[in-house]
Amino acid sequence: ESFAPAPRRHASGGESDASTGSSGPQPSAPTPAATQAKAAADACAKAGAIDVDKVSWRSKVEFFVNGRRVCADDVQPHYTLLFYLRDKLGLTGTKLGCGEGGCGACTVSVAHFDSEKGEVVHRAVNACLAPLCSVDGCSVTTVEGIGTTKMPHPVQQRIAGMHGSQCGFCTP
């Protein structure tokens, strides 16, 4: 013998189905999860229909570092921005401290054009975590790009004047 709950009465006096809490069949709005799942399924279907022979593949990553154009060929998936700055471009002012994005020794400024806002957006990026391909089309500014020993940036003057360092060694 199965148990079926009795219909509940709403304050309005109507009955509702005890299992769903609704008063009869009503169309329900899709949940956010269902909407996301449908969007993901649609994207997968579109991706599956792409003819890869007709796609113009790029094999270069192009960006600017301290105002200089960089065109990186043969970029490996494991290359980080920090690795490329230090080992390929010789810009050693950006340091590897903790390797986890916590100490800030590897922080660089990355700028990109936001077409929706119609403006350039600057953000601080942990170069030790950023894949090199993430700066494609961007402008990267390192500590070497904000001043020189003859004409230091005001921030650099302040750090030097207060006997500070930028190595990140003491802030793991």
Side-chain angles (χ1 to χ4, degrees):
E1 182 177 347
S2 67
F3 173 76
R8 291 185 284 176
R9 294 233 174 240
H10 286 287
S12 64
E15 292 184 357
S16 69
D17 180 348
S19 64
T20 64
S22 64
S23 56
Q26 296 177 351
S28 61
T31 64
T35 303
Q36 288 176 342
K38 181 168 178 2
D42 291 346
C44 287
K46 287 179 185 176
I50 292 175
D51 183 356
V52 295
D53 293 329
K54 295 181 180 176
V55 174
S56 62
W57 298 100
R58 290 182 51 207
S59 61
K60 299 178 188 177
V61 175
E62 298 180 53
F63 56 102
F64 288 83
V65 176
N66 300 331
R68 195 180 97 221
R69 184 172 178 255
V70 176
C71 185
D73 290 323
D74 191 32
V75 173
Q76 299 300 310
H78 64 276
Y79 283 5
T80 63
L81 178 56
L82 179 66
F83 165 79
Y84 199 83
L85 291 172
R86 292 182 60 82
D87 293 4
K88 299 292 187 179
L89 300 181
L91 298 172
T92 57
T94 305
K95 309 293 184 189
L96 174 61
C98 66
E100 297 175 350
C103 71
C106 66
T107 304
V108 296
S109 175
V110 176
H112 72 280
F113 183 75
D114 185 333
S115 57
E116 289 182 14
K117 294 180 180 178
E119 61 187 28
V120 176
V121 177
H122 300 269
R123 63 189 196 279
V125 170
N126 292 321
C128 70
L129 299 178
L132 181 61
C133 61
S134 70
V135 297
D136 188 34
C138 296
S139 178
V140 178
T141 303
T142 67
V143 67
E144 292 95 344
I146 63 170
T148 65
T149 54
K150 293 181 181 169
M151 295 273 305
H153 186 274
V155 171
Q156 292 169 317
Q157 287 177 334
R158 183 78 171 164
I159 290 172
M162 301 300 288
H163 307 288
S165 68
Q166 186 260 327
C167 72
F169 179 77
C170 63
T171 53

